[in-house]
């Protein structure tokens, strides 16, 4: 086989191998790192931010109707990747964030979706476990104490799996 023919065969094969490795390799550290939840924000989404600002920064999708139990004027928007969840807004214009609900992609002090009550209590020793929502929503609520700046975090732990399925800042917006 001539050297030219060998090069013509090996170059496409090596390019395919490089592409396969690039696809199979883990995403960049920023993509794989979980977003941070604090009592007043989730990954750059702060309580009080306007929908227009969040939309222009690519943090949320289009605004749409919110929970029907909140009345006819409620509005919410889905979070954009790497987060999953939603943002609820005030009833009047300009629409400002009142509640951030996360179902995937963020952690508070290393506690995220899938954490147990024991893990939550280890990172938030003063957290209060509330069993009053178990019969209706099948969730045990664990809430951190109210901070001096007014913020708090609520974790919803499934009564079936005993793992966190939802995290809310400053609370979980129940709408089901």
């Amino acid at each position: 086989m001539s050297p030219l023919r060998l090069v013509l065969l090996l170059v496409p094969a090596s390019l395919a191998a490089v592409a396969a490795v690039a696809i199979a390799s883990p995403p960049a550290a920023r993509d794989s790192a979980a977003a941070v939840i604090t009592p007043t924000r989730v990954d750059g989404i702060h309580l009080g931010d306007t929908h227009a600002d969040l939309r222009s920064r690519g943090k949320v999708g289009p605004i749409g109707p919110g929970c029907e139990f909140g009345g006819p004027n409620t509005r919410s928007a889905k979070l954009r990747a790497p987060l999953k969840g939603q943002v609820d807004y005030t009833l009047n214009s300009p629409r400002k964030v009142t509640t951030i609900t996360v179902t995937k992609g963020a952690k508070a002090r290393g506690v995220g979706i899938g954490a147990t009550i024991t893990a939550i209590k280890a990172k938030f020793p003063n957290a209060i476990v509330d069993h009053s929502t178990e019969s209706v929503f099948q969730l045990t609520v664990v809430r951190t104490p109210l901070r001096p700046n007014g913020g708090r975090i609520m974790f919803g732990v499934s009564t079936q799996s005993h793992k966190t399925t939802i995290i809310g800042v400053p609370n979980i917006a129940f709408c089901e």
Side-chain angles (χ1 to χ4, degrees):
M1 184 178 285
S2 72
L4 180 60
R5 181 174 266 170
L6 185 61
V7 168
L8 291 176
L9 287 175
L10 290 178
V11 168
S14 63
L15 288 176
V18 168
V21 168
I23 291 170
S25 66
R30 169 68 181 117
D31 294 339
S32 63
V36 176
I37 298 174
T38 71
T40 57
R41 70 175 175 82
V42 176
D43 191 36
I45 302 169
H46 294 77
L47 295 175
D49 283 352
T50 64
H51 174 71
D53 177 47
L54 294 176
R55 186 86 168 126
S56 69
R57 292 189 286 137
K59 296 290 187 179
V60 297
I63 197 167
C67 177
E68 58 273 3
F69 298 129
N73 205 23
T74 58
R75 297 290 180 265
S76 69
K78 289 185 178 180
L79 295 172
R80 289 274 174 100
L83 299 172
K84 282 195 178 182
Q86 71 180 29
V87 172
D88 295 321
Y89 296 103
T90 56
L91 297 176
N92 301 326
S93 189
R95 300 293 181 156
K96 294 184 178 182
V97 176
T98 58
T99 306
I100 307 165
T101 305
V102 178
T103 57
K104 184 178 177 186
K107 293 183 178 184
R109 292 189 193 170
V111 178
I113 302 300
T116 62
I117 292 176
T118 307
I120 297 168
K121 292 286 283 179
K123 294 292 184 169
F124 299 93
N126 295 326
I128 299 165
V129 179
D130 181 1
H131 298 280
S132 65
T133 57
E134 290 179 349
S135 62
V136 177
F137 297 107
Q138 305 298 306
L139 282 179
T140 302
V141 174
V142 182
R143 55 178 200 272
T144 64
L146 193 60
R147 302 294 168 127
N149 64 358
R152 104 171 344 143
I153 302 171
M154 289 180 83
F155 299 87
V157 181
S158 168
T159 57
Q160 285 84 32
S161 67
H162 304 289
K163 298 193 183 229
T164 302
T165 58
I166 190 167
I167 303 171
V169 174
N171 55 38
I172 297 170
F174 289 106
C175 186
E176 292 189 23

